[in-house]
């Protein structure tokens, strides 16, 4: 729809936009004595507080708050002032929230655990020239999407390269089925598995399940009858326990090799009996990294009566990146913040990480683990190996 504006209306709108921009970026506060207090930078943190990915959203939220505590006083005199918005695991809700924050003058947006949401927020960031740091969303399409978009977490290709190190290196001719949800995350996993495993002489097919499906038995039966040598399971929905139960009921673990990642700690006891002795790829378990930042995170969360979970470091790294961007760049100049992040190597909970300037891929270590019998009948993690960032480095995806 086209609107006609009078000169007065245009002038008032321009004044309002300038005022909003100044309010939404770096603003000096004045204390009771009239002295300049710490400058604040407003950040919009959009995440799935509710909806199908709410469990992951909570982990990212907790990690971000821990990260804010860690970087406090280290951001060049600036204080990060977050506004938290629930995207309800819904793209339309997330886009509306982002537009609202941008309209208020916010120059930094972060968050979301949904790949389908992140790949829509990223173009919006470029159109409006704001910095966007995606969190736990794993879609490879986020990398190299535009210069305004960065990622705090890993991407699917890093998962698959970790898994490829699990599969026997000299084996060829295997039939691999990707069992995933019919989402951007699921499609991305199929593409990545086909790219990596297909190039090593294996045949890759897919079974994609509607997101949030209540009856998973037909899909488990389809997998059982596929004649596959191995199944690569990539699942993000809250019905994960039901999915694993369906696979177990159909005898899938007895018919083929399971290749998958270790998910939330809450699933250990459900998942453990299905994968005895199986090596699992791992984005993060708090027992794996041995460095000062991870130790700090564990102790900090212990004080909150919490334990770091799989996506806790993604939120934590988001805070580290924002601190870097505003302390080494100018919070009112997005290009300077981009330059401050590109090529940055830093110590995160997972270990040393590096933001590749060519496409903003986040190079980082990955892990291999097993679930073993632990105390009181519960399953626990046994860390087998740390995979260096160079061995799970995705191909460069130049900016479009």
């Amino acid at each position: 729809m086209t609107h006609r504006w009078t000169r007065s209306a245009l002038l008032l709108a321009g004044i309002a936009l300038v005022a909003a921009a100044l309010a939404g970026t770096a603003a000096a506060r004045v204390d009771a004595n009239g002295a300049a207090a710490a400058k604040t930078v407003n950040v919009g943190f959009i995440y799935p507080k509710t909806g199908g990915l709410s469990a992951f959203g909570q982990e990212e939220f907790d990690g971000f708050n821990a990260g804010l505590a860690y970087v406090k006083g280290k951001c060049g005199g600036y204080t990060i002032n977050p506004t938290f918005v629930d995207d309800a695991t819904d793209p339309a809700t997330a886009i509306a929230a982002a537009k609202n924050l941008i309209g208020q003058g916010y120059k930094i947006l972060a968050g979301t655990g949904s790949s389908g949401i992140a790949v829509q927020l990223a173009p919006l960031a470029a159109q409006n020239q704001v910095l966007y740091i995606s969190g736990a969303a794993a879609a490879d399409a986020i990398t190299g999407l535009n210069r305004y978009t960065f990622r705090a977490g890993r991407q699917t290709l890093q998962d698959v390269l970790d898994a490829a190190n699990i599969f026997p290196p000299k084996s060829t001719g295997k039939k691999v089925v990707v069992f995933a949800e019919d989402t951007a995350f699921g499609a991305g996993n199929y593409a990545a598995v086909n790219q990596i495993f297909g190039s090593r002489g294996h045949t890759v097919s897919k079974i994609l399940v509607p997101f949030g499906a209540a009856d998973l038995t037909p899909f488990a039966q389809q997998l059982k009858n596929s004649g596959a040598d191995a199944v690569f399971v990539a699942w993000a929905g809250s019905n994960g326990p039901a999915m694993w139960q369906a696979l177990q009921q159909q005898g899938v673990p007895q018919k083929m090799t399971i290749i998958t990642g270790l998910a939330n700690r809450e699933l250990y006891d459900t998942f453990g009996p299905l994968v005895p002795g199986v090596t699992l790829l791992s984005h993060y378990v708090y027992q794996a990294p041995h460095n000062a930042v991870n130790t700090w995170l564990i102790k900090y969360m212990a004080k909150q009566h919490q334990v770091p979970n799989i996506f806790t470091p993604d939120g934590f790294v988001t805070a580290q990146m924002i601190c870097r961007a505003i302390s080494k760049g100018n919070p009112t100049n997005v290009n300077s913040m981009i330059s401050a992040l590109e090529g940055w190597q830093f110590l995160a909970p997972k270990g040393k990480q590096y933001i590749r300037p060519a496409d903003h891929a986040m190079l980082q270590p990955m892990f291999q683990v097993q679930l073993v019998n632990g105390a009181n009948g519960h399953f626990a993690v046994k860390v087998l190996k740390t995979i260096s960032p160079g061995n799970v480095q995705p191909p460069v995806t130049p900016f479009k």
Side-chain angles (χ1 to χ4, degrees):
M1 181 181 294
T2 302
H3 298 278
R4 293 184 177 179
W5 296 81
T6 64
R7 178 175 298 181
S8 297
L10 284 171
L11 179 59
L12 289 172
I15 292 172
L17 285 172
V18 170
L22 290 173
T25 56
R29 295 181 297 168
V30 177
D31 62 22
N33 298 319
K39 295 168 287 185
T40 62
V41 179
N42 289 342
V43 173
F45 191 90
I46 303 170
Y47 76 109
K49 181 178 181 179
T50 60
L53 298 178
S54 59
F56 298 156
Q58 185 64 48
E59 295 168 21
E60 194 175 352
F61 174 84
D62 292 339
F64 182 65
N65 282 310
L68 290 180
Y70 179 77
V71 302
K72 186 176 181 180
K74 304 175 184 176
C75 304
Y78 292 104
T79 298
I80 299 169
N81 178 40
T83 297
F84 297 102
V85 183
D86 178 16
D87 65 29
T89 321
D90 175 63
T93 302
I95 292 297
K99 288 181 176 178
N100 180 48
L101 291 166
I102 292 169
Q104 294 180 54
Y106 283 63
K107 291 297 184 183
I108 304 174
L109 300 180
T112 196
S114 166
S115 293
I117 291 175
V119 296
Q120 294 186 54
L121 288 180
L124 188 64
Q127 292 164 13
N128 292 275
Q129 298 182 327
V130 301
L131 177 66
Y132 173 50
I133 302 172
S134 74
D140 292 309
I142 300 167
T143 297
L145 195 51
N146 57 63
R147 287 193 67 248
Y148 293 88
T149 299
F150 291 78
R151 64 188 321 144
R154 96 298 187 204
Q155 64 187 84
T156 298
L157 274 166
Q158 289 165 314
D159 285 338
V160 176
L161 287 165
D162 191 1
N165 285 309
I166 296 172
F167 215 60
K170 294 183 179 180
S171 63
T172 59
K174 299 293 185 181
K175 185 177 180 181
V176 181
V177 175
V178 176
F179 192 75
E181 294 153 302
D182 192 5
T183 61
F185 175 69
N189 270 273
Y190 169 70
V193 172
N194 193 40
Q195 178 180 340
I196 302 300
F197 283 75
S199 67
R200 300 186 182 191
H202 305 295
T203 301
V204 181
S205 60
K206 60 186 175 181
I207 297 175
L208 298 182
V209 182
F211 183 76
D215 185 8
L216 298 168
T217 300
F219 304 101
Q221 290 174 335
Q222 184 181 348
L223 176 60
K224 180 183 69 173
N225 297 328
S226 66
D229 298 296
V231 56
F232 187 100
V233 180
W235 208 267
S238 58
N239 57 350
M243 180 273 296
W244 286 112
Q245 185 178 25
L247 296 193
Q248 185 178 40
Q249 289 174 344
Q250 295 302 314
V252 170
Q254 290 74 43
K255 292 186 68 70
M256 61 193 69
T257 300
I258 293 178
I259 306 172
T260 192
L262 183 63
N264 295 43
R265 296 175 59 252
E266 293 77 9
L267 289 178
Y268 289 3
D269 290 346
T270 300
F271 188 39
L274 302 179
V275 288
V278 174
T279 298
L280 305 166
L281 67 96
S282 175
H283 165 43
Y284 171 81
V285 290
Y286 75 90
Q287 301 95 328
H290 299 286
N291 64 69
V293 178
N294 194 52
T295 298
W296 186 96
L297 173 61
I298 293 169
K299 290 181 178 179
Y300 175 85
M301 295 198 73
K303 294 176 183 177
Q304 320 300 319
H305 307 290
Q306 296 175 315
V307 176
N309 216 323
I310 182 173
F311 294 121
T312 306
D314 297 17
F316 192 98
V317 168
T318 299
Q320 288 183 292
M321 292 174 67
I322 293 170
C323 181
R324 166 74 181 190
I326 64 178
S327 62
K328 298 299 181 181
N330 182 342
T332 65
N333 185 324
V334 175
N335 284 325
S336 75
M337 291 193 288
I338 291 171
S339 297
L341 289 173
E342 289 180 336
W344 185 39
Q345 180 171 296
F346 61 104
L347 186 61
K350 292 181 66 174
K352 287 185 179 179
Q353 300 190 188
Y354 175 72
I355 301 172
R356 190 164 62 191
D359 58 1
H360 298 174
M362 178 64 82
L363 306 188
Q364 58 195 287
M366 299 287 283
F367 310 97
Q368 292 178 5
V369 302
Q370 286 181 343
L371 282 176
V372 297
N373 291 319
N376 301 319
H378 295 292
F379 279 82
V381 169
K382 177 182 179 182
V383 179
L384 302 178
K385 185 186 297 185
T386 297
I387 309 299
S388 67
N391 287 329
V392 286
Q393 182 173 187
V396 174
T397 306
F399 295 116
K400 296 179 177 66

